[in-house]
Amino acid sequence: MITGNQNTDYARGLEGVVAAETRIGFVDGINGRLVYRGYNIEELAESSTFEEVSYLLLYGTLPTKAEFEKFTARLNADNRIDDHLFKALQECTKASHPMSALRTGVSYLGSMDKDSNKYDLPSQEAMGLRLMGKFPSLVAAINRSLQGKPMVRSNEPNYTVRFLEESFGKKPTEFETKVFRTALILHADHGMNASTFASMVTISTLSDMYSAITSAIASLKGPLHGGANEQALANLERIGSPKNADNIISEMLEKKEKIMGFGHRVYKVYDPRAKILKEYAKKLAEETGHSELFETAEEVERVMINKLGTKGIFPNVDFYSGIVYKSLGFDPRLFTPIFALSRISGWFARSFEYLHDNRLFRPRSMYKGEVGPLKYVPLQDRK
Ligand code: CMC
């Protein structure tokens, strides 16, 4: 006999379920607002730095000058990755996607941290800061591995500049720094998305911060989440020109294919992050000879809004970020690791916040299977 479970409170994919309280960030999906600790994302993207925003997410206020200096000193106290890890990253990137290398890299760093079995709050905080401090070098080293080039070690303390310098072996321009810093700020936190939830589920068992971030990276990898940026760009490149957009998008929709970079579980209006990135994508594309790519994107946006806007489907953050990263010179395979370079601050802040009033995540599933009791038949007697 097949029977259902008595519990009827079931939300597929936990849609609409409130599973935690937070003071960190608010995604207003109806009005298209993203708020970090009371600040609109547009305000922070224009005026702040990634380190300041990370401090804000983690501790609740923008830092004073002294707090900022102490915070960045902690981030940079031990910000290098070692040669063994670089060798492993080189092997990983030869074999598989860089997100797998990143997941392995964070797991390696956790295994090498002698404090990673301490679960008190100051130890969790210290682990998060150590890991975050190493992140620019870790992701840059993955980029160097992809390019088949040696690791670059910079003494630059700024998160954004160090990452760009170690990725390309030269100082970024002011404009490149501003664009990239903005992208980092825009991606830093975004409610209870899958990867943030994954990190919180892991930390709720009183596991360590490295394990929580490893879980988050594993879940960011998928194309329905962080992996969408890489695929959105691949789709635009395949479309190739604005004149092809209508036909190709229509065909894809007829085949019930999802168009990557569109739609959102929470936003039913234009994603505010996409608005900001679109401006930068336009400027960068013009400067780097990728204008046709940008124009194709604009046409895809027009076609999609025309067809699906009434359903609340608009460009999300991943639609224009790919053009920005490509124009800055990044290999598309690095796009999702770049997302992680930013989102680590949200994962860390939310896991740390959750630990202050921890309750083990332990939902139930609705059993739809056989309830029996069936009689066990030995292997040799089974037909
Ligand atoms: N292209 C075409 N149709 C879509 C799309 C899309 N990108 N997104 C949603 N739809 C349609 C979907 O086919 C469904 O149609 P119908 O009602 O006819 O069955 C309807 O809209 C609802 O779709 P859903 O998948 O149930 O909606 P959701 O709230 O679960 O979707 C989503 C959220 C992000 C999974 C989905 O929009 C999607 O798969 N988008 C493409 C992947 C993507 O860009 N992901 C990045 C999300 S933003 C970055 C982040 O926060 O991680």
Side-chain angles (χ1 to χ4, degrees):
M1 183 182 68
I2 304 286
T3 181
N5 191 301
Q6 300 309 312
N7 186 357
T8 53
D9 295 336
Y10 166 49
R12 210 163 145 250
L14 296 184
E15 186 163 357
V17 172
V18 176
E21 291 180 320
T22 184
R23 295 184 169 278
I24 292 177
F26 170 49
V27 183
D28 179 350
I30 304 298
N31 297 305
R33 264 183 88 212
L34 173 59
V35 176
Y36 295 168
R37 302 266 190 194
Y39 293 90
N40 274 343
I41 194 66
E42 292 81 1
E43 175 89 358
L44 294 169
E46 183 54 37
S47 312
S48 192
T49 62
F50 181 69
E51 288 89 329
E52 265 196 347
V53 166
S54 301
Y55 184 99
L56 174 70
L57 293 172
L58 195 54
Y59 301 114
T61 55
L62 285 171
T64 61
K65 193 164 179 292
E67 286 166 340
F68 182 76
E69 279 164 10
K70 193 169 160 208
F71 180 64
T72 50
R74 282 188 84 182
L75 286 181
N76 286 310
D78 179 17
N79 63 15
R80 293 256 154 99
I81 65 158
D82 63 39
D83 291 336
H84 298 295
L85 176 52
F86 184 59
K87 273 212 171 75
L89 296 174
Q90 286 175 309
E91 292 308 314
C92 290
T93 46
K94 273 185 222 153
S96 59
H97 193 276
M99 278 301 276
S100 302
L102 182 62
R103 190 190 58 224
T104 304
V106 172
S107 197
Y108 172 92
L109 291 170
S111 310
M112 301 308 287
D113 190 324
K114 61 181 174 21
D115 288 338
S116 64
N117 271 334
K118 294 185 184 161
Y119 306 127
D120 58 288
L121 285 171
S123 298
Q124 296 279 21
E125 179 188 14
M127 277 184 264
L129 292 173
R130 276 198 294 280
L131 177 57
M132 206 174 147
K134 288 182 191 292
F135 239 67
S137 295
L138 176 61
V139 180
I142 292 173
N143 193 35
R144 301 295 289 177
S145 304
L146 277 178
Q147 297 168 358
K149 292 188 175 158
M151 191 160 50
V152 174
R153 285 196 165 115
S154 154
N155 289 324
E156 171 60 52
N158 179 285
Y159 197 89
T160 310
V161 178
R162 184 152 61 89
F163 171 68
L164 292 173
E165 196 176 329
E166 292 190 358
S167 288
F168 297 117
K170 64 180 171 62
K171 282 248 179 254
T173 65
E174 258 180 49
F175 182 61
E176 286 166 344
T177 305
K178 181 171 170 50
V179 174
F180 197 76
R181 187 183 68 208
T182 305
L184 290 182
I185 292 171
L186 294 177
H187 287 84
D189 182 67
H190 208 245
M192 281 280 261
N193 53 79
S195 58
T196 300
F197 185 47
S199 72
M200 290 168 66
V201 169
T202 301
I203 212 77
S204 83
T205 70
L206 299 185
S207 185
D208 66 288
M209 199 55 81
Y210 292 96
S211 299
I213 305 293
T214 305
S215 305
I217 291 167
S219 111
L220 188 73
K221 181 170 181 267
L224 292 185
H225 189 14
N229 52 15
E230 185 181 336
Q231 302 213 1
L233 182 74
N235 195 32
L236 288 178
E237 290 183 327
R238 191 168 70 88
I239 294 170
S241 154
K243 67 178 180 343
N244 302 333
D246 203 344
N247 279 347
I248 296 184
I249 294 295
S250 302
E251 260 173 42
M252 289 174 79
L253 291 178
E254 260 166 44
K255 286 193 241 156
K256 298 265 171 228
E257 283 178 41
K258 287 270 182 76
I259 313 299
M260 294 296 146
F262 284 87
H264 201 275
R265 181 62 66 78
V266 184
Y267 291 124
K268 297 304 167 197
V269 292
Y270 209 109
D271 183 333
R273 303 166 299 172
K275 267 188 209 160
I276 298 172
L277 283 179
K278 183 178 177 180
E279 290 307 308
Y280 283 121
K282 184 173 192 306
K283 228 186 211 167
L284 276 168
E286 279 164 8
E287 277 178 16
T288 56
H290 295 113
S291 288
E292 186 161 32
L293 187 63
F294 180 79
E295 285 154 19
T296 306
E298 270 200 311
E299 184 57 13
V300 169
E301 174 184 328
R302 197 192 60 75
V303 171
M304 281 294 283
I305 293 179
N306 207 9
K307 289 183 186 295
L308 295 177
T310 48
K311 266 187 164 181
I313 292 171
F314 291 90
N316 60 48
V317 72
D318 291 320
F319 189 57
Y320 286 106
S321 64
I323 300 181
V324 168
Y325 300 147
K326 183 186 164 86
S327 303
L328 287 172
F330 286 105
D331 182 320
R333 289 172 295 170
L334 204 77
F335 293 178
T336 315
I338 290 173
F339 193 151
L341 177 70
S342 163
R343 187 56 60 84
I344 186 177
S345 68
W347 295 330
F348 176 22
R350 286 190 183 245
S351 299
F352 192 56
E353 179 189 54
Y354 194 74
L355 273 179
H356 283 75
D357 185 22
N358 188 53
R359 181 152 176 86
L360 177 71
F361 277 108
R362 193 2 182 138
R364 296 170 57 191
S365 55
M366 187 181 280
Y367 183 65
K368 301 280 233 176
E370 177 66 64
V371 289
L374 302 177
K375 190 160 168 38
Y376 180 81
V377 179
L379 181 60
Q380 65 274 18
D381 299 339
R382 269 177 240 155
K383 297 206 175 81

